[in-house]
């Protein structure tokens, strides 16, 4: 298949994912995990080469919980390509496919993605709609035009409900949500300024990820700037004991000296050099797969 030089749309993602499954049926499986408000399918893809699948540590990768941050999806797809194409050819990749279970949810918010907007079809910011620290108090939170509107109550949306059900069925050691932009590695908590009991572990892993990313990525707690309730990261960590990271891939293209970028949010979030940016993030993601087998992580 020709390499993508343009950003994927919803149909192009489905067709690429189906092609990959057809080409590598012995290591790739696709599952439908739910539907969006507008009846678009939510898909999860699994890569694993071991028939004794339940023995292997699991890692979850997600993108497009915010429908405009398409570069996150491109990074995720690049990782899927790296694992499938490298299997049986590259020793390290073959090991990671055989000895880990990698799960991917490429599009958590397909309606937002189709409409090129952050929130879902009901104006809910899905990364504020999970249950840990969910807050609908305050006048702005009651207004669905507000940028971070969390929804009327926790898990009110079909998309977050489906993801919650899915993560309940699995025991993920680690997870990585791919967002953009600003070049940050984030870890819990988001809903409080407090540190988690795994703060030191988050810092150690985060620093290793930092070394594997090109450019100046900062390591920050999710709540470093302001407290955000109802995130997927706090849900995974607090309710499911998953060491969850959020990566703000790339620096985006918003530039004060380039007026052409001022009024096009798509450009703020999504760099022009897709392939380069996607590859820049792969080693950090592979690192998470690698350490998922470490005793101090899997037996926490
Ligand atoms: Zn985001």
């Amino acid at each position: 298949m020709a390499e993508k030089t343009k950003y994927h749309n919803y149909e192009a993602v489905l067709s690429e994912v189906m092609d990959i499954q057809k080409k590598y049926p012995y290591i790739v499986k696709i599952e439908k995990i739910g539907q969006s408000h507008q009846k678009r399918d939510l898909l999860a893809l699994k890569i694993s080469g071991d028939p004794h699948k339940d023995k292997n540590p699991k890692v979850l990768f997600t993108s497009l919980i915010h429908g405009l941050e398409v570069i996150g999806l491109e990074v995720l797809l690049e990782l899927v390509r790296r694992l499938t194409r490298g299997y049986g050819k590259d020793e390290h990749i073959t090991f990671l496919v055989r000895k880990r279970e990698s799960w991917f949810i490429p599009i958590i918010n397909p309606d937002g993605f189709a409409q090129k907007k952050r929130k879902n079809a009901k104006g809910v910011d899905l990364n504020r709609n999970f249950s840990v620290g969910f807050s609908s108090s305050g006048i702005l939170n009651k207004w669905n035009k507000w940028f971070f509107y969390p929804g009327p109550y926790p898990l009110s949306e079909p998309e977050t409900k489906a993801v919650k059900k899915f993560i309940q069925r699995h025991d993920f050691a680690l997870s990585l949500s791919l967002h953009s932009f600003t070049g940050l590695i984030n870890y819990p908590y988001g809903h409080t300024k407090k540190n988690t009991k795994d703060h030191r572990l988050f810092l150690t892993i985060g620093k290793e990820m930092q070394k594997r990313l090109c450019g100046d990525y900062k390591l920050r707690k999710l709540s470093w700037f302001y407290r955000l309730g109802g995130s997927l990261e706090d849900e995974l960590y607090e309710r499911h004991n998953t060491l969850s990271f959020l990566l703000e891939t790339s620096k985006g293209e918003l530039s004060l000296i380039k007026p052409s970028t001022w009024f096009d949010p798509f450009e703020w979030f999504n760099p022009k050099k897709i392939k380069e940016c996607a590859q820049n993030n792969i080693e950090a993601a592979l690192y998470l797969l690698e350490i998922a087998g470490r005793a101090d992580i899997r037996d926490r």
Side-chain angles (χ1 to χ4, degrees):
M1 167 181 292
E3 297 290 346
K4 281 272 170 195
T5 50
K6 272 199 227 151
Y7 279 97
H8 282 76
N9 61 22
Y10 179 73
E11 289 71 26
V13 178
L14 293 195
S15 112
E16 175 158 0
V17 164
M18 298 301 172
D19 282 353
I20 288 174
Q21 204 270 328
K22 261 188 230 149
K23 203 164 166 196
Y24 306 96
Y26 43 94
I27 50 169
V28 177
K29 205 177 90 178
I30 296 175
E31 246 178 52
K32 183 181 153 181
I33 62 165
Q35 269 195 335
S36 66
H37 272 296
Q38 296 176 340
K39 306 288 175 226
R40 292 186 175 90
D41 287 343
L42 302 183
L43 298 180
L45 182 137
K46 178 181 134 189
I47 299 182
S48 176
D50 192 335
H52 307 293
K53 53 187 193 281
D54 276 342
K55 282 194 207 147
N56 290 328
K58 298 181 181 188
V59 182
L60 173 66
F61 300 93
T62 70
S63 50
L64 282 176
I65 195 167
H66 292 140
L68 196 56
E69 300 169 10
V70 192
I71 187 65
L73 164 81
E74 302 294 343
V75 175
L76 181 145
L77 290 175
E78 186 66 25
L79 180 59
V80 168
R81 287 182 212 118
R82 182 74 73 91
L83 290 173
T84 47
R85 290 176 191 173
Y87 180 70
K89 291 187 188 124
D90 174 316
E91 203 179 316
H92 184 53
I93 295 288
T94 307
F95 171 82
L96 292 178
V97 172
R98 286 220 176 106
K99 296 296 170 197
R100 303 285 181 268
E101 236 184 87
S102 308
W103 282 92
F104 303 84
I105 309 179
I107 314 172
I108 294 183
N109 178 11
D111 300 346
F113 180 37
Q115 289 155 30
K116 291 202 164 124
K117 58 174 204 174
R118 174 183 179 89
K119 301 186 292 174
N120 77 350
K122 299 275 179 187
V124 175
D125 184 334
L126 296 176
N127 210 31
R128 303 290 183 278
N129 188 246
F130 288 90
S131 70
V132 178
F134 177 91
S135 169
S136 58
S137 61
I139 185 75
L140 287 174
N141 283 347
K142 297 199 183 309
W143 186 43
N144 78 355
K145 294 280 182 293
W146 172 234
F147 197 62
F148 304 121
Y149 175 60
Y153 53 89
L155 299 167
S156 58
E157 305 307 295
E159 297 89 354
T160 47
K161 254 187 224 139
V163 171
K164 174 72 182 176
K165 242 172 108 181
F166 173 77
I167 59 182
Q168 265 167 341
R169 282 198 283 123
H170 297 277
D171 183 15
F172 289 110
L174 292 143
S175 71
L176 183 65
S177 309
L178 296 154
H179 289 242
S180 79
F181 55 110
T182 60
L184 287 173
I185 306 164
N186 289 141
Y187 54 92
Y189 290 118
H191 72 289
T192 165
K193 298 267 182 193
K194 278 191 212 145
N195 289 340
T196 65
K197 65 175 182 4
D198 291 305
H199 189 67
R200 289 173 69 96
L201 189 54
F202 274 119
L203 282 182
T204 323
I205 299 173
K207 280 185 190 143
E208 291 299 321
M209 289 169 74
Q210 219 170 9
K211 283 187 210 159
R212 287 161 175 80
L213 293 159
C214 313
D216 182 22
Y217 277 74
K218 303 250 183 322
L219 182 59
R220 296 259 195 279
K221 208 156 46 173
L222 262 171
S223 55
W224 71 284
F225 192 42
Y226 65 95
R227 280 189 290 269
L228 58 121
S231 67
L232 174 60
E233 286 58 54
D234 280 5
E235 189 78 18
L236 277 159
Y237 177 72
E238 190 75 356
R239 306 265 195 254
H240 304 276
N241 201 32
T242 301
L243 293 170
S244 55
F245 288 88
L246 183 156
L247 192 60
E248 297 277 9
T249 57
S250 90
K251 297 270 163 117
E253 306 262 330
L254 176 61
S255 167
L256 292 178
I257 53 166
K258 277 196 278 172
S260 64
T261 68
W262 295 356
F263 305 104
D264 186 357
F266 190 86
E267 281 199 30
W268 307 351
F269 288 95
N270 301 295
K272 290 202 173 65
K273 293 180 177 165
I274 305 174
K275 193 87 185 163
E276 195 181 303
C277 177
Q279 283 172 349
N280 176 23
N281 288 277
I282 295 297
E283 292 303 322
L286 290 176
Y287 170 70
L288 293 184
L289 276 175
E290 226 173 275
I291 62 168
R294 240 167 56 184
D296 61 324
I297 290 176
R298 60 178 306 184
D299 306 330
R300 279 171 50 250

